[in-house]
Amino acid sequence: MVLVVSLVEYFSKYPNNTPTFVGSNATLIALVFAAYLAYVFQQRGKFVDELRGWWNDIVEAKSVFFVYCDKSGATEDDYFEGFYKLSTSMDTLRLIYCNVGRSAENPKGYYPFEQVRDMIDIARSIKPDNSKVPTMRDRARVKDAINIVFQSLRHAIQSEASASVPDDPTLFESPYRAKYLLEIKNQVGIDVVAVRELNKRADYFSSREKN
């Protein structure tokens, strides 16, 4: 826009080519533009920080609920501690994102990430009450289901936060990984590769991993 205004002014005053508004105020315009860019980057940084903070909270909430899923003597208090942490995460996300698709016909709109609501619904399905006490198998199934949904949520949030691929990752067949795996096997006596294979056979979520 500034360039267009400058060109219009220049040609309107040609051939005299008297000083234009843009030319006379180039420094001021540059400062205003720089301030605007700084504001944009500052707002983006603030948004990403808030999103990361929320992500840390929901990771913690999931972990607390999984304690209930894994605990052999899990109680009703264990369930509600984990459930309400997940529920709180669902509500606090509204401080970062508004609902999507609001209109006259649908004033409330739609929750921006259905994965969070799905996890709440799955967790609610094993709510202990007088008529039903969830078994270890019930809790294990719910844990697997939430894990699957959580991976979908993770990819969505990574996209929102513009997460980048690492420059020097340690992949499955990386020599760095092979070095520390060998060190653990020789010095500690634990075969991590064998442990991972056992986990894949024992746990549904682990079995979905490629390596």
Side-chain angles (χ1 to χ4, degrees), residues 111-128:
Y111 192 76
F113 295 101
E114 276 296 317
Q115 295 98 325
V116 181
R117 293 181 64 181
D118 288 335
M119 287 192 293
I120 296 295
D121 288 335
I122 294 168
R124 188 177 281 118
S125 71
I126 54 167
K127 176 183 176 181

Side-chain angles (χ1 to χ4, degrees), residues 46-89:
K46 180 182 176 183
F47 163 75
V48 171
D49 287 344
E50 289 176 348
L51 190 59
R52 285 174 177 166
W54 176 84
W55 178 252
N56 291 337
D57 289 342
I58 197 170
V59 168
E60 181 184 354
K62 175 182 71 80
S63 298
V64 171
F65 189 77
F66 281 1
V67 169
Y68 166 75
C69 293
D70 292 336
K71 201 172 179 181
S72 57
T75 65
E76 189 177 78
D77 288 342
D78 293 325
Y79 170 82
F80 284 115
E81 180 183 4
F83 177 81
Y84 284 117
K85 279 185 176 291
L86 285 173
S87 180
T88 299
S89 296

Side-chain angles (χ1 to χ4, degrees), residues 145-163:
I146 288 178
N147 250 328
I148 293 170
V149 178
F150 194 81
Q151 299 314 305
S152 172
L153 176 64
R154 183 188 67 189
H155 292 308
I157 298 301
Q158 282 178 332
S159 176
E160 288 293 307
S162 302

